[in-house]
Amino acid sequence: MDPVIIVGAGPVGLTLALALARQQVPSVVLDEGPGKDEPRLARTVVLREDTTALIERLTGVSLDEAGVHWAGWRSMRRKQVTREVRFDDATDPAPLHIAQHVLTGVLRGALADQRLAKIAVDSRLDSIEQEPSGVTAHTRGPRGTWWRGSHLVGCDGPRSTVRKLLDIRFPGRTAVERHAVAALRTELPWADEALLHRTPPWRASGPSAGEVTGRPLPEGVWRLDWLLPPGKDLVTPELLVGRIRETLAGWSGGSTPAYELLDTGVHTVHHRLARRWRVGRVFVAGDAAHLLGAFGTQGLDEGLRDADNLAWKLALAWHHGSHEALLDSYQTERRGAVAARLRAADQALPVLRGGAGIRAYVPGAGRGHDVLLTDGHLGRGPLGAPGTYDGSPLSPRHLEAEVPVHTPPGAPVEDVRVTAEDGSFVRLRDRLGRGALLVVLIAPGTGVWERRHWVSAGIMPRLAAAVTAMPSPAELLVAEGYPGAAAHTVLLVRPDGHLVTALSGVRAADLYAAAEATMGGPAESRKPSEAEATAGSAAK
């Protein structure tokens, strides 16, 4: 069968290729560039715990040395510290700050060793043709080439050629925020701590006072971002050096410490959301599908979640034939999650950027603003937390044995320790992304016994039989505990780590029904999707 064609060799496209390979699906990545990424320390990304774990799982590389896990976070307003957060690996993992070219290099290195994925450099897409049986793409380059694929995914950025060829609208807001950016090597009072400083005292009050963010990178490097006032004023070298010197002096007690300027830039934040994310056998993901980034929200995080969501659905279709309802759910789930974050940001913008006037009428509003901004930067709350798929068309209905746990259906599961089928102890997230559903039995006390002592005892034989009879591949795992789950609770987890349901005990009929719904419903009830019908009509 033909490979999946991935257009774009940025982090999202490379992650999708690795995720497909993990599920034994071949792909070809069309890279319009030469296959190398220019080192830019002023272009960095912040990854939350789930997306960091995804990259490490797919590459087999720890990102601890490639980036910096912040030791803490502090928010300041003028001279006052308004909020401090200390991170703890067990209860509150720190975000990872990493240069984008470093992250891309890790992904490229992993793909170089992957037999199921190929990168085609100097290959610029210029046409797409769809048929009921597949997709054909043509690229310009040293030699014009036709590529044949089962599906095509556009991960080709904000100016996506794929999106334009499909005539998908991309409405939204331009230049929501602008930031002057500098990467420099220096020593600051807060080693390995990130900082958000609003209305710093060395800036005049008013709309130009703005805010500055400092985020550490490895080897004593910092990325500093200054929020610029509205408008298109040119950021000159003199202006940027002045901002650097006054900021470093303000943070260091009055004198500017020695620093080495490594890179600069201007970061403009746009908010846009594609109308459609699927047309027939063609999809868009990452910046080709959405742009967001105000208040610290990171678009790459959401792009990586796009890849994780789409990979297992494409893999199922590639191995077992068309699953239209399942493929349609990619747009419903991911577009809904990103739209919720964009709505939250757009609602917060007038409040947080409206100046100090509102604080005179709303007691405590300033503290509330700091909480909102912190949540956005740290991946919490409506501005930053990973989206849930509670309204997904894949959600099972009317399960009699469903019980609540601390993770609501549709939300990412907690990364608890589990016992695998071979008796080894692993993290739950290590078993994700293999194309199989995960069935997790909560059985306190099993961790102190070898698996052979309890695998044939109690309810295990009945549960194992129920898992074997499920309508899709599934792996049975056992955990000593899970937040909010009673003993003998059975969790059903999707390949991308979102909870399908929690059941009280072994309920084979409910487990089967939940698995069937997660796969898009029974095969005989599947009808051509709206996306497929649209593509078919366009081809006539």
Side-chain angles (χ1 to χ4, degrees), residues 8-59:
V12 175
L14 298 174
T15 297
L16 179 58
L18 286 169
L20 289 171
R22 185 175 170 91
Q23 298 170 76
Q24 302 304 306
V25 176
S27 65
V28 57
V29 181
L30 304 182
D31 183 358
E32 70 176 41
K36 297 181 180 179
D37 298 280
E38 179 187 2
R40 289 293 311 275
L41 289 173
R43 189 178 186 188
T44 65
V45 295
V46 178
L47 301 181
R48 275 60 181 193
E49 180 195 12
D50 63 316
T51 48
T52 301
L54 171 64
I55 296 296
E56 293 183 337
R57 182 166 67 244
L58 294 175
T59 62

